[in-house]
Amino acid sequence: MNPFSTEALLAALKAQLPGVTVELQRNEAPSAQHSWLIAAQDAVVVAQWLRDKEGFDFCSNVTGVDWPTYLEVVYHLYSIEKRIGPVILRMRTGDRDKSVHLPSLTHVWRAAELQEREIFDLYGVIFDGHADLRRILMWDGFEGHPMRRDYVEPDDYEYEPTAHDHVAERASKHTTGGAE
Amino acid sequence: MLGGGILKGLAVTARNVVEGFVSKERLTTVQYPEERVPQVEATRDFPFLVFDGEDPMAGLRCVACQICEKECPPKCIYIDKSSDKKPDATGKPQFYPARFDIDISVCMSCQICVEVCPFEAIKMDVEFELSTNDRFGGLLYDKHKLAKSNEYYNHVHPTEAAAVDTKLAVERAKAAARAAAATQPKPAAVSPAPESGAQA
Amino acid sequence: MNTELLGVPPDTITRREVIYDQEGETLEISMGPHHPSTHGVFRMDVRLEGERIVRLKPVIGYLHRNHEKIAEGTTYLGSIPYTDRLDYFCSLTNNWAYCMAVEQLAGFEVPDRAQYLRVILSELTRLQNHASAVGFLVQDMGASGTPIMYAFREREKILDLFEALTGSRMMCNYMRFGGCRVDLPAGWIDQLKALMKTLPAFLEEFEKLLVSNEILMARTQGVGVLSAKLAVNAGVTGPMLRATGVNYDLRKVDGYGFYPRFEFKVPLGEHGDVYDRYMIRVLEMRESVKILNQAIEQLPEGPIIDPKAKLRGFRPKPGESYGRLEAPKGELGFYLISDGSPNPYRYRVRPPSFVNLTILEDMCLGANIADAVIILGSVDIVLGEVDR
């Protein structure tokens, strides 16, 4: 990988696109991979600038994160032609149930297509502009978003011989003969 | 010519077929279950508890510290600590497991319980022909079924068991030396140093 | 919906739904999860016009075990055996990718001997994965069983090596944070050297079996063409990307794990079709043999794990890291967010097979239905990774 400074690139972005709201989020781990927090309305403009002007043609990973008051989507971008990276973009939703819309970056990087569908399926973030937003890993009639921290799985335990902790409590209601 | 590539491929196949009758290298299967492939030493299948000496329950090295239960990723170990103590190999009274169950239908043979055990009490067995007709209890092993002797451990994993035996012998020698030093009469000098809690 | 043609009552859940249009123009087939050629429980909803594909939608999730949520409830160490089960052919590269992400998160340094061991095991994994992948692809084409069994014969020798070192043939659980779990047993290097002597002969024989086979060439050349620009934009990595001519191999680009010390070439394709992907896998096997020979020669003595790393009670400081490496199927990445507790706050696997499936439809449109099977075989997916 060629040497690369994400702060310098952010400064260049702010110089060329002055109206855009982007802040640097520092990462305290030894990996030192700092990220950019973007406002949702500026995401597409920043993404297109990165792809067309700076050569970040490869979107490696799209992740969803569940924080206590909002949901977040993280993009890891690399440049194949210049051998630099990663540039990490973060977008946050307003809250966890009512305003969960974020712009989709699928038409900028096609790699985000299936991964954004997965975030919709498992977290419930709705991506505006995605061509085919439907559940991908769970079945079509499924209700709920499994990766959220407050998701309660249905307890349909048949038999758990070495149940521990909360599984033991819930399993004991199903097994005939009482608690394990 | 057309078809030359296919013919070359068929020649390779023909050679393999013919050599399968004469060369040991080409025929790599054994007629299981009449013949068996020799056991590789490091193989791991499911855990077992090691005991020293003759009596499985008295010689069990496990002191019910429950570290393996906490570290097990699929949580297949279920331990109940005893309320009394029994002497271990160095004579020191230790807790023992009143109940030590492993559900081998859940166990994924990851060997983390072996790595974190501080007492060399749980090791990996090499038996894999464990199918049973009893779906509900047959795959839940209790401590009687899990306890196997140190001689068995030396038989299935010779190198590893030799290293463990050396390490335990060194530890026990140190503990015995400390015990011997504690029972010797102290010289009548200044106030005797308080004995450390590790003394037997 | 006309299911009595299949002889089953209309409300039964059938594996294959045959829907005839009014005029009988397009046929919609579900190449359903139980299928001998879909490399696992994978489904494709295909709409055909005669034999040509006009629409293809992949349907996944039949093997979804929510590995990422399990990892949120397990300690960092306890997740290592679960990573084995992601891409179950290549458990050692999965372990390494996860350990790399954690080492970046916590700042561990891996000693030299451990790095060399990791490279050796990773190249052995690549060898056995490409042998299986090529074998499966050729089996999908109709060479029912012979080349794949020859490949599996050699693969068993590699798996014997894994068993002698890690204790298990496939679910190896060998890498730890800061190094490897256990050092080489006596005689392992000799067994490996003996294998390295016989492997080139096997690769020659394997190539002679197939490479100028007219059926193979006719069925794979010009089929499933992918352009470089679309491949890069769609996040395709691994042999699929290099088949389109893009020179991007993380072993050269990121230079992780002492790969810069070894001399090896990166095979590139020209046309981006199934034949190129097949040939690249065959050529990469030869390059892996080269790397292995160099690594065995240079293997130093020393510790195999960072002394700072401890097994129990590992709590990395808050932060995040993204660690990636060149798994046999593409770029495998792990994204970890830590909040200082023994369990990760967010644990994400970036699976190469999943992202490579994005352009499956693009490659298959206009091709015959028989080609869809071959194109899927050339993508080389493993459902454990796609669904997690």
Side-chain angles (χ1 to χ4, degrees):
Chain A
M1 279 294 218
N2 294 335
F4 162 71
S5 153
T6 193
E7 291 99 330
L9 191 64
L10 184 59
L13 169 72
K14 291 202 172 151
Q16 293 183 30
L17 299 175
V20 159
T21 327
V22 189
E23 333 171 345
L24 189 73
Q25 296 270 305
R26 295 204 64 87
N27 173 16
E28 300 310 319
S31 68
Q33 290 169 342
H34 310 296
S35 48
W36 301 359
L37 177 62
I38 322 182
Q41 64 266 26
D42 299 323
V44 179
V45 169
V46 173
Q48 280 171 338
W49 181 83
L50 280 171
R51 186 190 69 176
D52 300 326
K53 297 281 177 348
E54 292 297 319
F56 279 86
D57 43 10
F58 176 57
C59 172
S60 173
N61 176 33
V62 184
T63 311
V65 191
D66 182 14
W67 296 106
T69 46
Y70 53 82
L71 302 169
E72 188 177 48
V73 176
V74 182
Y75 291 79
H76 283 79
L77 307 166
Y78 285 85
S79 170
I80 289 188
E81 52 171 291
K82 294 190 188 170
R83 303 279 206 258
I84 55 178
V87 166
I88 307 178
L89 303 178
R90 305 183 101 93
M91 283 197 272
R92 296 183 180 164
T93 63
D95 61 28
R96 294 178 74 215
D97 44 11
K98 296 288 181 341
S99 64
V100 288
H101 287 253
L102 285 178
S104 164
L105 299 184
T106 311
H107 56 273
V108 182
W109 293 291
R110 184 92 184 270
E113 183 182 324
L114 290 184
Q115 301 188 68
E116 282 179 357
R117 267 179 74 183
E118 182 188 336
I119 298 176
F120 164 66
D121 185 5
L122 298 178
Y123 281 94
V125 175
I126 300 180
F127 288 93
D128 299 323
H130 194 285
D132 183 17
L133 196 66
R134 54 192 167 100
R135 287 192 179 267
I136 186 168
L137 290 175
M138 306 307 294
W139 59 90
D140 285 333
F142 189 83
E143 288 182 17
H145 298 286
M147 278 296 284
R148 290 198 184 188
R149 301 209 136 211
D150 55 359
Y151 175 74
V152 177
E153 59 190 18
D155 50 338
D156 42 11
Y157 306 113
E158 279 180 10
Y159 178 70
E160 281 270 352
T162 49
H164 289 252
D165 314 327
H166 69 277
V167 174
E169 287 167 43
R170 293 160 76 188
S172 66
K173 302 194 198 96
H174 293 270
T175 52
T176 54
E180 260 296 307
Chain B
M1 61 159 181
L2 184 66
I6 302 179
L7 283 178
K8 258 197 264 175
L10 287 175
V12 171
T13 312
R15 211 175 90 221
N16 268 283
V17 168
V18 166
E19 285 193 14
F21 287 101
V22 295
S23 147
K24 198 78 175 45
E25 207 186 86
R26 292 278 184 202
L27 194 62
T28 49
T29 54
V30 297
Q31 300 279 14
Y32 183 84
E34 285 86 20
E35 297 171 27
R36 303 252 154 119
V37 180
Q39 179 220 324
V40 176
E41 190 197 319
T43 299
R44 52 181 151 97
D45 281 301
F46 294 109
F48 72 95
L49 292 171
V50 189
F51 68 84
D52 298 308
E54 298 297 327
D55 183 356
M57 292 298 112
L60 212 53
R61 288 185 195 164
C62 174
V63 300
C65 65
Q66 295 178 301
I67 290 179
C68 59
E69 188 181 13
K70 291 197 198 79
E71 297 289 327
C72 174
K75 299 279 187 289
C76 68
I77 301 182
Y78 195 66
I79 299 179
D80 270 343
K81 218 166 173 140
S82 64
S83 41
D84 59 330
K85 296 194 180 189
K86 71 163 172 60
D88 70 356
T90 60
K92 185 176 162 199
Q94 299 270 21
F95 287 113
Y96 60 92
R99 174 168 166 182
F100 193 114
D101 291 346
I102 295 186
D103 183 4
I104 63 168
S105 66
V106 174
C107 172
M108 56 177 178
S109 313
C110 66
Q111 201 187 32
I112 287 184
C113 54
V114 172
E115 281 176 60
V116 297
C117 175
F119 296 95
E120 316 286 346
I122 187 168
K123 297 291 174 192
M124 293 310 275
D125 204 347
V126 301
E127 292 229 2
F128 53 90
E129 293 154 334
L130 298 170
S131 53
T132 164
N133 290 327
D134 177 10
R135 189 177 173 206
F136 291 104
L139 293 176
L140 181 65
Y141 284 10
D142 62 4
K143 64 174 179 173
H144 298 282
K145 192 140 183 212
L146 288 171
K148 297 196 175 166
S149 67
N150 196 18
E151 281 77 38
Y152 175 76
Y153 180 39
N154 274 279
H155 177 68
V156 291
H157 295 294
T159 332
E160 205 184 299
V164 166
D165 283 346
T166 326
K167 175 173 164 229
L168 284 178
V170 164
E171 276 179 17
R172 287 169 189 173
K174 274 204 214 134
R178 272 203 304 268
T183 54
Q184 272 177 12
K186 285 259 183 315
V190 292
S191 57
E195 296 187 342
S196 72
Q199 295 292 350
Chain C
M1 187 158 84
N2 207 350
T3 50
E4 51 251 43
L5 288 166
L6 291 177
V8 289
D11 54 339
T12 317
I13 299 173
T14 55
R15 299 273 182 229
R16 198 170 284 166
E17 294 176 38
V18 176
I19 302 174
Y20 283 135
D21 235 1
Q22 298 294 39
E23 290 86 352
E25 274 188 18
T26 61
L27 186 69
E28 192 151 332
I29 288 186
S30 145
M31 289 182 70
H34 266 221
H35 196 286
S37 300
T38 54
H39 299 271
V41 279
F42 177 70
R43 189 172 126 214
M44 294 191 278
D45 279 337
V46 182
R47 185 179 289 164
L48 298 174
E49 201 177 336
E51 271 213 25
R52 276 184 40 237
I53 297 175
V54 292
R55 197 185 85 131
L56 185 146
K57 293 288 174 206
V59 179
I60 60 177
Y62 292 93
L63 194 53
H64 180 61
R65 301 158 285 185
N66 216 347
H67 165 79
E68 300 181 353
K69 191 156 186 130
I70 293 177
E72 284 178 15
T74 320
T75 56
Y76 285 89
L77 176 71
S79 287
I80 300 182
Y82 288 119
T83 60
D84 282 337
R85 286 141 171 96
L86 281 172
D87 173 0
Y88 35 80
F89 275 89
C90 314
S91 62
L92 286 162
T93 43
N94 297 347
N95 288 161
W96 188 1
Y98 176 54
C99 292
M100 188 191 290
V102 172
E103 283 152 15
Q104 281 179 2
L105 185 62
F108 291 143
E109 284 168 22
V110 183
D112 285 7
R113 185 174 168 87
Q115 290 280 32
Y116 274 90
L117 283 178
R118 285 177 169 187
V119 167
I120 289 176
L121 290 169
S122 172
E123 291 309 309
L124 281 173
T125 308
R126 197 178 310 271
L127 266 170
Q128 57 98 14
N129 177 73
H130 284 332
S132 325
V134 165
F136 282 125
L137 174 63
V138 174
Q139 187 184 38
D140 288 346
M141 279 188 237
S144 51
T146 308
I148 188 177
M149 282 301 136
Y150 293 169
F152 269 52
R153 207 171 43 197
E154 299 307 311
R155 183 171 175 253
E156 282 300 319
K157 296 188 189 148
I158 298 179
L159 294 181
D160 282 342
L161 278 171
F162 287 166
E163 190 177 9
L165 175 61
T166 71
S168 167
R169 285 164 72 241
M170 283 168 72
M171 304 292 131
C172 296
N173 183 21
Y174 178 67
M175 314 286 181
R176 292 283 179 266
F177 310 132
C180 302
R181 179 171 70 84
V182 77
D183 210 340
L184 302 177
W188 197 85
I189 286 281
D190 299 321
Q191 201 180 345
L192 178 59
K193 285 186 185 160
L195 176 66
M196 286 296 110
K197 287 206 180 61
T198 62
L199 214 48
F202 157 69
L203 289 174
E204 288 285 342
E205 189 188 65
F206 203 54
E207 262 184 71
K208 209 172 15 158
L209 187 63
L210 293 167
V211 81
S212 56
N213 191 314
E214 286 82 357
I215 301 179
L216 182 105
M217 292 203 289
R219 282 205 74 180
T220 58
Q221 285 177 343
V223 168
V225 176
L226 183 62
S227 71
K229 201 151 172 296
L230 178 58
V232 167
N233 193 262
V236 172
T237 49
M240 267 190 87
L241 180 65
R242 295 195 281 281
T244 64
V246 177
N247 183 2
Y248 196 66
D249 182 336
L250 289 177
R251 295 176 289 173
K252 295 271 191 198
V253 168
D254 279 352
Y256 61 91
F258 291 4
Y259 273 107
R261 296 189 187 186
F262 305 115
E263 248 189 67
F264 63 100
K265 298 206 194 92
V266 175
L268 292 178
E270 283 174 353
H271 308 283
D273 57 8
V274 173
Y275 187 72
D276 279 352
R277 288 174 217 142
Y278 158 79
M279 275 313 291
I280 284 186
R281 292 200 170 97
V282 170
L283 293 172
E284 277 191 6
M285 283 202 269
R286 291 182 183 277
E287 300 300 318
S288 288
V289 172
K290 264 195 236 166
I291 300 178
L292 274 167
N293 286 329
Q294 293 169 54
I296 298 173
E297 236 178 293
Q298 298 176 19
L299 180 65
E301 299 296 329
I304 52 158
I305 194 158
D306 184 357
K308 280 193 307 220
K310 38 183 187 147
L311 274 183
R312 302 187 57 223
F314 170 57
R315 286 167 181 257
K317 299 217 178 33
E320 60 178 52
S321 82
Y322 180 64
R324 61 183 196 157
L325 53 70
E326 180 78 21
K329 302 198 155 62
E331 172 187 321
L332 174 65
F334 278 78
Y335 176 55
L336 291 166
I337 302 185
S338 154
D339 59 351
S341 67
N343 299 355
Y345 186 82
R346 173 72 171 112
Y347 166 106
R348 151 88 181 164
V349 182
R350 186 261 185 214
S353 310
F354 180 61
V355 183
N356 287 355
L357 279 179
T358 314
I359 32 79
L360 183 66
E361 183 175 10
D362 295 64
M363 288 194 288
C364 290
L365 286 177
N368 289 338
I369 182 75
D371 293 335
V373 171
I374 307 226
I375 295 171
L376 181 65
S378 73
V379 175
D380 192 14
I381 60 171
V382 166
L383 264 299
E385 195 171 56
V386 170
D387 288 340
R388 282 154 283 136

